[in-house]
Amino acid sequence: GERPDLIARLAYFFAARGRAEDSLANWNRLTQADKESNAVLARAIGLGLFDQKRFSQALEFMRQYGAEPDAYAEAITNPSFETVLDDGEESRFGWRIARNESRFDATADSKVKRDGNRSLRMTFRTFNKPTFTNVFQTVVVEPGKKYILRFWVRTEGLKSLGGPMLEILNANDDRTIAR
C-alpha cells in the first residue's frame, strides 16, 4: 500500500533482513512529516544498520531523524571539538570516548587550540596499559578510495615509552589500515 505507516514498516522490514539500500529507498518515499511521525522507527533502523555494519545507510537514517545532524560521509564530525563530545548511546558517527578507565579523562579545552575555539585534552594519570582505545569516531568512506587525514597533536609532561598514536581501522573487521 501507499500508507505512510506501511511504507515505514516496509523500510524496517528490509533493514531487519540486511537489505539496507531497499530500506533507505522505501524510507525516502515518505514526506518529511511522515518521517518525523515515524522517528522511533528511523532510530531503530539506523541503529540496526550500524550494528549490521551498513554504515552509509545507517548514517543517512540517523541524519534524517536528527541524531547525527552534523555527520557526513567522508568527513570527520566535529573536527575541532566545538560541540559536545560523546553524546552517549545515541551517537555513532561523532566522537566517542571510552570511559572505562578511571585514570583517563578526555575533555574539551578552550585554552589550547589549533583550529576553531577548542581542542581535546586527554589526561592520563599513572596509566600503564600497553594499548588503550580511548577516543574514536566512525567515518563513512568509499572502499578503495584514497584519503588524506591531517591532524595536530601536542603533548605536555608526557612520560611514556611511546608517543601518541593514531590508528585507522576497518570497522567491518577491525583490521588496521594505517597507524
Side-chain angles (χ1 to χ4, degrees):
E2 293 300 317
R3 286 188 8 216
D5 62 320
L6 295 178
I7 294 170
R9 290 175 195 261
L10 183 60
Y12 182 84
F13 173 86
F14 282 130
R17 282 149 185 81
R19 294 178 55 184
E21 293 86 2
D22 293 329
S23 176
L24 187 57
N26 278 284
W27 183 259
N28 285 332
R29 292 172 49 203
L30 298 172
T31 66
Q32 187 59 37
D34 292 334
K35 288 177 182 180
E36 289 171 8
S37 68
N38 286 287
V40 171
L41 211 50
R43 179 184 185 278
I45 293 169
L47 295 175
L49 291 175
F50 187 91
D51 290 344
Q52 293 175 25
K53 301 183 184 296
R54 301 303 304 262
F55 300 113
S56 181
Q57 293 84 7
L59 174 61
E60 187 56 30
F61 271 98
M62 295 175 92
R63 281 185 47 73
Q64 287 192 28
Y65 83 85
E68 305 279 358
D70 298 324
Y72 293 93
E74 302 182 333
I76 302 287
T77 303
N78 190 16
S80 296
F81 306 98
E82 300 296 320
T83 59
V84 175
L85 299 175
D86 195 9
D87 284 336
E89 291 301 312
E90 195 69 16
S91 178
R92 293 294 185 273
F93 297 98
W95 290 111
R96 300 194 64 195
I97 301 169
R99 299 198 187 273
N100 54 1
E101 179 59 55
S102 63
R103 295 174 290 177
F104 166 75
D105 189 30
T107 58
D109 185 348
S110 60
K111 294 177 185 162
V112 177
K113 54 197 172 253
R114 173 130 175 130
D115 294 321
N117 295 313
R118 296 168 36 156
S119 65
L120 180 67
R121 175 183 295 269
M122 294 189 290
T123 306
F124 299 89
R125 292 177 293 281
T126 61
F127 194 78
N128 59 6
K129 289 184 181 179
T131 59
F132 180 56
T133 303
N134 44 34
V135 179
F136 58 97
Q137 184 173 132
T138 300
V139 178
V140 175
V141 296
E142 277 187 47
K145 187 173 178 182
K146 292 188 181 217
Y147 292 90
I148 295 173
L149 176 65
R150 291 184 184 97
F151 62 96
W152 180 71
V153 65
R154 173 185 157 189
T155 63
E156 184 178 301
L158 180 65
K159 296 174 186 167
S160 174
L161 295 174
M165 179 176 48
L166 175 74
E167 188 172 34
I168 300 170
L169 302 176
N170 180 332
N172 290 314
D173 59 13
D174 291 330
R175 287 186 332 191
T176 300
I177 295 172
R179 179 178 292 170

